[in-house]
Amino acid sequence: MRKIIVGSRRSKLALTQTNWFIDQLKAAGAPFEFEVKEIVTKGDKILDVMLSKVGGKGLFVKEIQQALFDKEIDFAVHSMKDMPAVLPEGLTIGCIPPRVDPRDAFISKDHIKFMDLPVGAVVGTSSLRRSSQLLLLRPDLEIKWIRGNIDTRLKKMQDGEYDAILLAAAGLKRMGWSEDVVTEYMSIEDCIPAVGQGALSIECRSEDEELLAELAKVSDPKTWKEVDAERTFLSEMDGSCQVPIAGFAESVGDEVELTGYIASPDAKQVFKKTIRGKDAIAVGKEVATALQAEGASEVIEKVKAEMDA
Ligand SMILES: NCc1[nH]cc(CCC(=O)O)c1CC(=O)O
């Protein structure tokens, strides 16, 4: 029996997701043995800097992709949200399992609801997407950067550094922690999720046909279509991590409805568009084109120019 080496980051969430996925493959009768190999990525080591300033998403996947090329591992389970929009030649997404809750969870001391937070309350997030949308609802709040794994962030809030934090509902639910800690879930409309939030991405070598055939059996076409629309939008916007960007798609019958969001970092300029259609890729492109036409491109160019200055 072929032994499949599965690459995983070392965080509790990454290992939980990896083991969950291996169980899905086993349940579907995949004729493999499995071994998990932990990989510490640059994103896991650099904890003291704002993520968007040091290279963004790629930080969590580069070493894992190298391990795939080097055949040290056969596949890796990533949070779709951490995947760059474009994969290197030779690697492919072999499976997208059914998505779990895509929303952001709001977690506060004494379970004070988001809109009931006192003026000037300190909210921890390191996501420009989250802070931009929160400030639209509550311009009086103070956003303070926070890094670390889910449990580190929860502890930092309990220790009093923050009045509240936001975390992806998906991560909390996968860990089985949502019941205990979540104060409320932000609505999709108020806080449009990150592209791919709540979905997993199984990455493997494009030529590994034996593995690809087994991965296909546990893939979810509905989630795949939604993620296709979102990631097309992301790559078309060429947003990088410096610009608040959100994208969320939902299947409606045989169509997919995508909302794209781009804002200036101070949230003074906000661009938002929803388009529905049968072809996920086309919908992703249409939303990007519509936002660019409204002026989102200028916002992105301005941020890039400031970065280079
Ligand atoms: N940026 C880190 C990250 N990548 C994926 C998740 C959680 C789960 C998911 O969206 O699949 C998280 C933590 C968070 O944002 O709270």
Side-chain angles (χ1 to χ4, degrees):
M1 195 155 41
R2 180 173 165 194
K3 185 169 180 182
I4 298 283
I5 314 285
V6 188
S8 175
R9 290 169 54 199
R10 191 177 280 172
S11 72
K12 278 183 205 157
L13 177 62
L15 287 166
T16 301
Q17 290 178 167
T18 298
N19 287 314
W20 174 84
F21 183 71
I22 290 172
D23 287 344
Q24 303 303 301
L25 278 178
K26 284 182 183 161
F32 304 132
E33 280 178 75
F34 297 94
E35 183 187 312
V36 176
K37 185 172 177 188
E38 293 179 16
I39 297 174
V40 181
T41 69
K42 204 168 175 190
D44 297 309
K45 286 180 210 156
I46 309 176
L47 291 173
D48 53 346
V49 211
M50 211 176 115
L51 204 52
S52 56
K53 290 232 167 86
V54 290
K57 298 178 172 238
L59 283 183
F60 292 117
V61 301
K62 268 220 181 84
E63 282 99 330
I64 291 181
Q65 291 179 330
Q66 193 55 52
L68 281 166
F69 281 124
D70 295 344
K71 302 202 169 176
E72 282 170 29
I73 59 173
D74 296 302
F75 74 77
V77 180
H78 305 278
S79 293
M80 182 62 79
K81 187 164 90 153
D82 299 331
M83 292 286 284
V86 182
L87 264 64
E89 186 74 39
L91 300 182
T92 191
I93 296 178
C95 169
I96 304 182
R99 183 182 231 165
V100 302
D101 197 333
R103 293 174 298 175
D104 284 305
F106 175 77
I107 299 151
S108 65
K109 274 189 277 176
D110 306 323
H111 286 294
I112 300 173
K113 292 271 171 74
F114 176 68
M115 289 313 279
D116 298 332
L117 283 174
V119 171
V122 177
V123 180
T125 176
S126 47
S127 143
L128 295 172
R129 173 188 67 82
R130 286 180 183 138
S131 62
S132 139
Q133 298 188 84
L134 294 187
L135 289 173
L136 285 177
L137 298 166
R138 287 287 310 266
D140 61 291
L141 296 178
E142 190 190 319
I143 305 292
K144 194 171 153 192
W145 300 113
I146 186 168
R147 288 282 325 271
N149 295 329
I150 304 181
D151 38 349
T152 312
R153 296 191 198 194
L154 289 169
K155 186 167 184 304
K156 283 183 177 174
M157 190 198 75
Q158 261 115 41
D159 288 350
E161 276 185 66
Y162 306 86
D163 297 304
I165 57 173
L166 273 107
L167 291 170
L172 293 166
K173 290 192 174 179
R174 289 201 186 103
M175 297 299 295
W177 293 345
S178 56
E179 297 290 318
D180 298 331
V181 301
V182 175
T183 302
E184 63 180 327
Y185 292 97
M186 303 300 289
S187 72
I188 298 278
E189 293 73 31
D190 281 348
C191 198
I192 302 164
V195 164
Q197 185 157 300
L200 298 178
S201 166
I202 316 305
E203 190 180 24
C204 66
R205 287 179 296 278
S206 315
E207 96 260 321
D208 194 342
E209 279 162 35
E210 184 190 22
L211 176 59
L212 281 165
E214 296 304 320
L215 292 178
K217 293 179 187 166
V218 291
S219 200
D220 181 42
K222 179 173 166 288
T223 303
W224 201 306
K225 193 168 179 179
E226 295 165 352
V227 166
D228 259 348
E230 294 168 11
R231 285 172 59 79
T232 301
F233 164 69
L234 183 67
S235 63
E236 292 284 315
M237 290 313 298
D238 187 25
S240 82
C241 269
Q242 321 301 324
V243 181
I245 182 164
F248 176 70
E250 200 167 22
S251 304
V252 189
D254 63 347
E255 295 192 317
V256 63
E257 184 174 278
L258 170 70
T259 299
Y261 169 99
I262 296 263
S264 60
D266 62 7
K268 287 206 171 111
Q269 285 167 283
V270 173
F271 306 94
K272 204 166 155 178
K273 186 85 188 174
T274 302
I275 292 176
R276 190 193 278 200
K278 283 209 166 80
D279 179 342
I281 308 286
V283 168
K285 286 184 180 165
E286 280 168 42
V287 171
T289 307
L291 292 184
Q292 278 155 355
E294 282 174 22
S297 312
E298 280 96 278
V299 168
I300 293 174
E301 287 314 314
K302 190 160 171 273
V303 170
K304 279 191 179 159
E306 280 162 12
M307 280 283 298
D308 295 337

